[in-house]
Amino acid sequence: MNFRSPSPTRDAVRLAAILLLIALVGSPVLGRAQKAAAAPETGGQGLKPILTYISSAWDTLTRSMTDCNSIVDPKISAQSVLYMPKDMAEPASVQTLAGSCNVRAEHLPEVIQKLGQISTSNIDPPGLLYLPNKYVVPGGRFNEMYGWDSYFIVRGLLRAGRVELARDMVDNFLFEIEHYGAMLNANRTYYLTRSQPPFVSSMFVDVYEAVQKQPGAKPDTAWLERAYADLSKDYEMWTHEPHLAGDTGLSRYYDFGDGSPPEAVKDESGFYRKVAEYFFLHPAQADSYVVQNGQGSSDTVAGAAYTLRVCDAPMTMARPECEPLREFKLSRDYYKGDRSMRESGFDVSFRFGPFGSATHHYAPVCLNSLLYKMEKDLEQMSRWLGRNNDASQWNDRAEKRKARITKYFWNNERGLFFDYDFVTKRMSEYIYASTFYPLWAGLATPEQAKAVSSHLNLLERPGGVAMSTEETGAQWDLPYGWGNVEMLVVDALRRYGDRDDADRVSYEFLSTVAENFRRDGEIREKYNVVTRSSEAHAELGYHMNVVGFGWTNAAFLELLHNLPKPMAEKLEQEQNQPLSDSR
């Protein structure tokens, strides 16, 4: 720590009756209230209303470069600007959009070859990045095409028979890799510094196979060649510095940007204030994340300044005794971890240290399982293209990664996969739903899969699988469950033959979503799986429970499709009961 922490002799008094006055230097950003919709009349209709909602949502959530709604960014209040690749001629769709939607169309200042090449601070105001095809957004504040969201959305589209729209989204990701350097977190300029969990090869393989099953379909060699080249490029980003996790031979999440991300500062009211407060009160966990103003250089600190005051308030004193105000900033290393946490998609969780502050210090189970899957996908694509030598090389890479995953992530005594801190050279002890990723990717041995499944009870709650066993106030920890991870866990269980657990978890989550839909007529991004409620009281990150919602819609279709008929019929009947009796 670079500031004087409270005297140990006075800690008990201070922590027993502490008044912490913390204020952001500058104007506060107000949170936004959520509006609840009236519940629809669904009595006696079973699952029909929610399935109708999901079916219509694919169109409601579809965006394109001819749609004025595509430009709107609920996270940032700024002039509407659409940015195109530097070396691309302005298409007619952009001219139409600019004229009909009062949108300014510009080209990016340079041709982008790789992620992190361009400083996003030089792109002002921030804006939407051009994509050539239609795409489905998650909903609410997420009004752009997201990286890992889209994998689950695509699966929902395929289940709904919307193959062409799913293909459009895959082609948009290929366009991103070709023109913006990688599969992006999402298509906004402030995301040009980071990617998201690499589900893109899984997306392509699923859509390619769906296209091949259509009547009269023939092998599309040109599309396959294009995808193979682009996915290989995206893979290379993850397997070279700075995305390498020390000397483990594994990879890490790493955002190329520095300082506080603009979308978080403007949209997540008071978040960094809470971070500063936490590290001030927990100096043992603060590491080098908080620096007193005047003690750090511009190379070590970034972002807004905060003022902190600690007061003793003993019961016998009429007025508290306070220390002078002190001013602090969060360090650049903290913001690097924060940004990298956002690349992981799990923002915010305490899985990689408080507030994800050490995300860039970890080799994560999820990322490396996905890269194994990517290696196997590229092996399959090589065989489709008749490139057997390439296929052998991809298989070799996959086998080496599998061995490293077991070496660094597998805890044989506890029967679970954990992340690995390559800086301290210690395996994490944080129980997290990502322990199922190696099963989903198919790299776990039967013995490992059986052990992980036997510990499902650690995470399973009445409404499905919770993200962790720790209630931290963060939305990616207990008590929340998310449709995408519910899908992934169920897939993992089914892959290794654990049908009973897969069916039970599916039913728990499906009934939670359906019951809450009957109450408010909406599908949300996450659910409290302890109380089986859509009411979220996450204290860290953004505070709303977004309506839409892309991957929950997909999860409902997928989980329902694979549910045994008697359980599906029971779920249908449950939705015909009075709400007071349906729990």
Side-chain angles (χ1 to χ4, degrees), residues 94-103:
V94 171
Q95 297 174 10
T96 301
L97 188 75
S100 61
C101 306
N102 192 29
V103 171

Side-chain angles (χ1 to χ4, degrees), residues 146-179:
Y146 279 80
W148 74 324
D149 292 69
S150 293
Y151 166 69
F152 302 97
I153 289 170
V154 160
R155 284 186 56 182
L157 289 172
L158 294 178
R159 181 62 61 200
R162 305 289 296 271
V163 178
E164 290 307 313
L165 183 52
R167 177 169 179 162
D168 280 346
M169 293 182 68
V170 167
D171 283 339
N172 280 339
F173 282 113
L174 300 182
F175 184 89
E176 283 190 352
I177 295 168
E178 293 163 0
H179 294 278

Side-chain angles (χ1 to χ4, degrees), residues 22 26 399:
I22 180 167
E399 289 302 312

Side-chain angles (χ1 to χ4, degrees), residues 259-338:
S260 52
E263 77 281 4
V265 172
K266 295 185 178 181
D267 190 49
E268 297 175 17
S269 178
F271 174 65
Y272 293 115
R273 182 186 316 186
K274 292 177 181 178
V275 174
E277 175 184 350
Y278 180 91
F279 284 133
F280 182 80
L281 291 175
H282 300 82
Q285 300 178 46
D287 198 9
S288 58
Y289 299 138
V290 181
V291 181
Q292 186 166 344
N293 247 8
Q295 294 185 0
S297 67
S298 59
D299 293 332
T300 59
V301 297
Y306 302 83
T307 53
L308 298 168
R309 170 180 285 163
V310 174
C311 302
D312 285 332
M315 297 298 292
T316 57
M317 292 179 60
R319 298 175 63 184
E321 178 184 343
C322 297
E323 292 183 353
L325 283 171
R326 286 182 288 170
E327 193 173 81
F328 298 89
K329 285 192 172 185
L330 292 165
S331 69
R332 289 189 177 276
D333 189 55
Y334 163 74
Y335 283 119
K336 182 64 71 175
D338 175 78

Side-chain angles (χ1 to χ4, degrees), residues 34 68 180 200 252 290 333 425 432 438 478 485 540 559 580:
Q34 290 232 186
C68 298
Y180 304 130
V200 63
R252 64 170 174 170
V290 181
D333 189 55
K425 301 189 182 303
Y432 209 69
L478 185 72
V485 176
L540 307 174
L559 298 181
S580 58

Side-chain angles (χ1 to χ4, degrees), residues 531-543:
T531 63
R532 292 172 51 85
S533 170
S534 63
E535 292 192 8
H537 303 287
E539 300 171 9
L540 307 174
Y542 60 91
H543 301 286

Side-chain angles (χ1 to χ4, degrees), residues 2-3 6 17 90 93 97 116 123 150 242 340 344 353 417 466 516-517 535:
N2 292 312
F3 61 86
E90 184 173 305
S93 61
L97 188 75
I123 306 175
S150 293
S340 301
S344 81
F417 290 94
N516 283 277
F517 178 82
E535 292 192 8

